[in-house]
Amino acid sequence: MISRNLYFKLVKQDFRKRIWCPILIFIVYFLSLEVRLLMETEKYLKEASEYLYGEDFCDIATYVSHFFFGREAWMISIVTCVVAFLCGISGYSYLHDKTQLDTYHSLPVSRTQLFWSRYLSGMIQFFFPFVIHTLFCAGIAAGRGAFTIETVSSMISYITLQLVVFVLAYGTTVLAVVLTGNIIVSILGTGVLFVYSTALSVLTYLLSDRFFHTYIIYGNRLDAWLSEKIWCFSPLSMLLRLFARPNNTTMAAAQKFYKYDTSYVWVMAVAAAVYSMAAYFAYLKRGSERAGTSIVFHVAEPVIKTMIVIPGAFWTAVFFSEISSDTASDRWFLFGLAFSFVTFCILMEIIFRLDIRGAFMRKKQFLFNAVCTGLIFVVLRYDVTGYDTYVPSDAQIQSCAISIQQLIPLTQNVQVSPFGFHHLGADEYRMANMEIQGNSSVMELAQKAAKEQQIGRASCRERV
């Protein structure tokens, strides 16, 4: 009983100690919800004819339930991620101070109770201000005659979504803080965890587009690729997938698409639970003597370096090649790769050692990462996997497309992308919409081009 009472006292004490946090959150959501809703409804009343819902005009009740609490939820999701970052950093910053850490661990409570009391306190600081402001928004909507039964359902879904987004970002932040022993490194670690899969996915796209001549995404290009093929194990990737519009739809259908992907919210909820439990178990294993160091677990150090140095080097190489001339892009790519690799290795060692004298330590790790970087470059540069010369078998082909530039001029067509509208050129339109079936000549042409190692543009979709 004593431990349980002390457990709830810890929640209250933490809430009082960080009273500035819920006050700041209250102000942020006031500006993001009530003020924004008032501004948007006033704008709607003046420009109602410009608001469309499919091919029809959108009334104010439809706007509130389908847009403010629907499609436009991504804006508040960004705010919620920032709030989660603030709660996570401020709530577990005591892990970086040996004196505070010893004080907390000397209390007659288990580490489990200490961890979850802080975790619950952070959730309360977000949840109550957010729900209060959402209810105020309902009152504003009712005052404007825009509150219906459908609005109630949208509000409940809206609150649930933001709670899941908060827990996902909150768990990610807490995990970064627990794995590190320094506030600056915790902030950097949170940023890396939050965007890592997105950055890795985009880098894969850029490298494939640069080195593989037959790697061509027609239609909406990067937009379509991000919505369909992005790796989703980081919060940013999940948010992009959640709010992506359906691909290859008409303009009217896209305008009527007001809802985020509700089925994907469950995936995010599972990911939020995984990040939170990972932070909890890391907290149990965390050594108190590691406070003040850059990384808490030595075994994770080489893994983190490899995960940062290699993608970072290729990102910089792509940057140098893009800003250089076409004739010199290959040379600048190599320069950027070598220069950034050495720079990232030195910076990582300084960050981990918190001493500039540690810049040239861990020579074996440096050599290992250098070999991995070189192998990746060789595989991409010389197409070791045979990507450009691969031709699927007849049994794998559903349909083919072929385009010969300037053969049949076509006007541009508008196609909806997950994040807006995209104008298709003639070449893109043919490759995205042509479906040749049962024509052996097309496959013979592809096989001949692959055999002669010539570059061709063909699109083959495998049977599902």
Side-chain angles (χ1 to χ4, degrees):
M1 183 63 68
I2 296 177
S3 296
R4 181 176 299 179
N5 291 337
L6 186 57
Y7 171 76
F8 288 109
K9 285 183 180 180
L10 286 173
V11 176
K12 293 180 181 179
Q13 289 175 359
D14 179 60
F15 194 86
R16 291 173 182 171
K17 185 178 180 180
R18 289 193 290 157
I19 190 63
W20 60 269
C21 192
I23 292 176
L24 180 60
I25 293 172
F26 195 90
I27 295 173
V28 168
Y29 277 119
F30 170 73
L31 297 174
S32 303
L33 290 172
E34 287 101 320
V35 173
R36 179 169 152 264
L37 179 59
L38 286 170
M39 294 175 65
E40 291 295 332
T41 51
E42 287 180 359
K43 181 181 178 182
Y44 172 87
L45 294 174
K46 293 180 180 179
E47 306 172 359
S49 60
E50 297 183 8
Y51 287 79
L52 294 177
Y53 179 63
E55 297 178 349
D56 303 321
F57 291 113
C58 173
D59 57 38
I60 191 169
T62 301
Y63 168 75
V64 171
S65 60
H66 290 184
F67 288 83
F68 187 83
F69 290 126
R71 181 192 296 180
E72 297 174 2
W74 67 269
M75 301 180 187
I76 300 301
S77 296
I78 296 174
V79 176
T80 299
C81 289
V82 175
V83 168
F85 170 78
L86 181 66
C87 292
I89 291 291
S90 62
Y92 290 85
S93 59
Y94 73 92
L95 294 174
H96 303 147
D97 190 310
K98 293 182 179 180
T99 303
Q100 290 189 49
L101 192 59
D102 290 339
T103 301
Y104 278 107
H105 285 177
S106 65
L107 297 174
V109 291
S110 64
R111 282 201 174 193
T112 297
Q113 291 174 316
L114 188 58
F115 176 86
W116 291 115
S117 65
R118 287 270 170 163
Y119 193 93
L120 180 61
S121 175
M123 289 190 62
I124 292 173
Q125 292 178 31
F126 150 77
F127 187 73
F128 284 104
F130 174 74
V131 172
I132 290 172
H133 285 301
T134 304
L135 294 177
F136 278 137
C137 285
I140 294 172
R144 297 295 177 95
F147 192 84
T148 63
I149 296 298
E150 191 174 8
T151 308
V152 177
S153 175
S154 297
M155 281 180 54
I156 295 174
S157 178
Y158 185 75
I159 293 173
T160 303
L161 169 66
Q162 296 305 321
L163 179 61
V164 171
V165 171
F166 175 83
V167 176
L168 177 62
Y170 187 50
T172 304
T173 304
V174 174
L175 177 61
V177 176
V178 172
L179 292 176
T180 58
N182 180 283
I183 186 65
I184 301 299
V185 181
S186 294
I187 294 173
L188 294 175
T190 302
V192 170
L193 287 177
F194 195 84
V195 306
Y196 191 79
S197 66
T198 306
L200 204 61
S201 298
V202 175
L203 178 61
T204 302
Y205 168 84
L206 294 174
L207 291 175
S208 299
D209 188 56
R210 174 180 177 80
F211 287 102
F212 300 142
H213 298 286
T214 58
Y215 185 84
I216 302 172
I217 297 178
Y218 291 96
N220 302 320
R221 296 187 62 77
L222 185 57
D223 285 349
W225 187 87
L226 279 175
S227 66
E228 296 175 1
K229 297 184 179 181
I230 192 171
W231 299 335
C232 293
F233 56 84
S234 293
L236 180 59
S237 302
M238 295 181 183
L239 289 175
L240 290 174
R241 177 69 65 83
L242 177 69
F243 290 107
R245 303 187 190 191
N247 195 22
N248 298 331
T249 58
T250 63
M251 188 178 297
Q255 289 172 337
K256 198 167 183 176
F257 178 73
Y258 61 89
K259 202 70 172 178
Y260 40 83
D261 187 358
T262 53
S263 62
Y264 195 72
V265 175
W266 293 104
V267 177
M268 295 178 64
V270 173
V274 170
Y275 273 108
S276 299
M277 293 306 298
Y280 166 64
F281 287 115
Y283 182 85
L284 294 181
K285 298 293 184 180
R286 192 181 195 277
S288 300
E289 70 281 357
R290 298 297 297 169
T293 60
S294 295
I295 192 73
V296 172
F297 301 99
H298 287 298
V299 68
E301 182 179 320
V303 178
I304 294 174
K305 288 179 184 176
T306 301
M307 293 176 64
I308 298 298
V309 168
I310 296 178
F314 278 101
W315 261 109
T316 310
V318 170
F319 172 76
F320 273 97
S321 67
E322 289 297 323
I323 64 175
S324 63
S325 63
D326 293 337
T327 56
S329 63
D330 290 339
R331 294 196 300 272
W332 282 109
F333 184 93
L334 285 173
F335 167 78
L337 187 65
F339 172 77
S340 58
F341 175 80
V342 175
T343 303
F344 274 113
C345 286
I346 293 175
L347 287 177
M348 291 298 292
E349 292 296 342
I350 294 174
I351 291 173
F352 279 113
R353 307 287 161 253
L354 296 177
D355 189 348
I356 194 172
R357 292 175 294 181
F360 298 99
M361 296 180 65
R362 303 291 191 270
K363 295 181 178 60
K364 291 183 179 179
Q365 291 180 14
F366 179 91
L367 182 61
F368 173 79
N369 290 333
V371 170
C372 291
T373 303
L375 286 175
I376 293 173
F377 174 76
V378 170
V379 169
L380 294 173
R381 175 65 179 80
Y382 298 100
D383 191 15
V384 176
T385 59
Y387 184 93
D388 277 339
T389 57
Y390 169 74
V391 178
S393 64
D394 292 339
Q396 295 176 304
I397 301 300
Q398 177 177 342
S399 63
C400 301
I402 186 170
S403 178
I404 302 176
Q405 292 181 354
Q406 299 179 349
L407 177 64
I408 306 175
L410 291 173
T411 58
Q412 285 189 334
N413 293 270
V414 176
Q415 189 175 32
V416 177
S417 74
F419 309 104
F421 300 99
H422 174 72
H423 292 279
L424 294 179
D427 195 46
E428 288 182 308
Y429 183 80
R430 295 190 195 103
M431 299 303 288
N433 295 278
M434 187 184 300
E435 294 186 357
I436 300 175
Q437 296 178 340
N439 191 330
S440 59
S441 299
V442 176
M443 291 307 300
E444 290 176 2
L445 178 63
Q447 291 169 356
K448 182 179 179 180
K451 184 177 180 180
E452 297 178 0
Q453 295 185 348
Q454 298 295 319
I455 305 303
R457 289 192 173 187
S459 172
C460 299
R461 291 177 285 276
E462 296 184 2
R463 276 202 184 94
V464 179

